[in-house]
């Protein structure tokens, strides 16, 4: 799951670079098909041809040469890859083609918005990674405390395991610890899923 998410985030990052290149190409006077091809070739140069995203961009480029609409191809590719940035761009291009307007300026504004969105997502993921690390440390602290006390005072815990009351209390404490640990993992997983929406 985490590996899949890392691959997806890498694709989002590469596509963001592509959108920046496409925006620069349109600003330099290229038409959309020519700007798309130039930006795609730049991505091939930077990231190689093995990336799934690069293969999808090539497919979109071929489709555009065959007369298909760019936004339709991007929507299909975005669904195949699960790339939200690609879906966002296809939606913007569809609206621009429908109502008209300065495509270059709109694409530049979209690029800035997508960059802000991706930066925010990265900050959230960094924050969650820090919380996950803290949670793992908190999991281990009770064991280190028990070990420290046992090493400093050998036999300190014996009384807890001899009588029925001691055993009952220790079972209760262990149950609470396990429930708290499961609850913590549930919270971390929910936070992680929420971050990826």
């Amino acid at each position: 799951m985490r590996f899949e998410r890392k691959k997806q985030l890498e694709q989002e990052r590469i596509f963001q670079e592509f959108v920046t290149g496409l925006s620069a190409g349109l600003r330099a006077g290229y038409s959309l098909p020519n700007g798309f091809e130039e930006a795609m070739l730049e991505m091939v140069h930077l990231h190689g041809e093995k990336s799934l995203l690069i293969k999808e961009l090539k497919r979109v480029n071929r489709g555009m040469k065959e007369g298909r609409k760019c936004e339709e191809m991007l929507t299909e590719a975005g669904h195949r890859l699960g790339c939200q940035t690609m879906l966002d761009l296809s939606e913007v291009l569809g609206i621009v083609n429908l109502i008209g307007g300065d495509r270059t300026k709109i694409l530049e504004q979209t690029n800035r918005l997508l960059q802000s969105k991706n930066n925010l997502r990265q900050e959230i993921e960094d924050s969650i990674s820090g919380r996950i690390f803290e949670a793992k440390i908190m999991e281990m602290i009770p064991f280190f405390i028990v070990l420290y006390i046992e090493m400093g005072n050998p036999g300190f815990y014996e009384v807890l395991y001899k009588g029925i009351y001691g055993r009952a209390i220790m079972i209760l404490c262990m149950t609470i610890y396990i429930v708290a640990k499961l609850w913590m993992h549930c919270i971390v997983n929910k936070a992680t899923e929420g971050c990826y929406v």
Side-chain angles (χ1 to χ4, degrees):
M1 173 78 175
R2 197 162 294 231
F3 177 71
E4 285 295 319
R5 185 58 201 163
K6 279 184 84 171
K7 274 173 58 179
Q8 197 172 1
L9 288 173
E10 181 65 14
Q11 288 173 357
E12 295 273 359
R13 187 185 63 77
I14 294 171
F15 189 72
Q16 183 62 58
E17 290 177 24
F18 168 80
V19 174
T20 303
L22 176 60
S23 178
L26 292 179
R27 199 168 52 244
Y30 285 111
S31 65
L32 181 61
N34 290 340
F36 193 99
E37 186 165 16
E38 285 300 316
M40 182 202 68
L41 291 173
E42 183 67 23
M43 291 302 101
V44 170
H45 178 72
L46 290 172
H47 301 286
E49 296 190 14
K50 292 184 179 179
S51 166
L52 279 173
L53 181 73
I54 303 298
K55 289 176 182 174
E56 288 295 338
L57 288 175
K58 285 185 169 185
R59 182 182 291 182
V60 173
N61 191 48
R62 279 196 305 272
M64 288 171 67
K65 286 180 178 176
E66 292 166 2
R68 291 193 63 189
K69 290 182 179 177
C70 179
E71 59 270 22
E72 289 176 3
M73 298 287 292
L74 283 174
T75 301
E76 291 170 10
H79 285 303
R80 277 194 297 270
L81 293 173
C83 180
Q84 187 58 47
T85 310
M86 191 177 279
L87 292 171
D88 292 342
L89 180 66
S90 68
E91 194 173 334
V92 169
L93 287 175
I95 292 167
V96 170
N97 288 339
L98 189 64
I99 63 173
D102 187 345
R103 182 183 282 168
T104 304
K105 193 174 284 186
I106 291 170
L107 193 61
E108 282 178 16
Q109 290 171 347
T110 303
N111 185 37
R112 282 196 293 273
L113 287 170
L114 292 174
Q115 281 178 335
S116 299
K117 179 182 169 184
N118 287 336
N119 289 340
L120 180 61
R121 183 185 289 146
Q122 187 63 50
E123 285 175 24
I124 291 169
E125 285 175 4
D126 291 343
S127 176
I128 287 175
S129 295
R131 297 298 172 262
I132 290 171
F133 182 67
E134 288 171 14
K136 286 181 179 175
I137 290 173
M138 291 301 289
E139 273 183 48
M140 301 304 296
I141 283 177
F143 294 105
F144 284 122
I145 290 171
V146 168
L147 186 64
Y148 177 75
I149 291 172
E150 184 61 33
M151 286 174 68
N153 303 292
F156 182 80
Y157 291 106
E158 277 182 27
V159 70
L160 295 173
Y161 296 103
K162 282 185 177 175
I164 189 163
Y165 294 114
R167 288 179 185 165
I169 289 169
M170 290 309 291
I171 288 170
L172 178 65
C173 289
M174 199 62 182
T175 304
I176 291 169
Y177 172 79
I178 290 167
V179 169
K181 182 177 175 180
L182 291 172
W183 190 14
M184 178 190 68
H185 282 289
C186 183
I187 290 169
V188 166
N189 288 338
K190 287 284 182 191
T192 307
E193 286 169 17
C195 167
Y196 298 149
V197 169

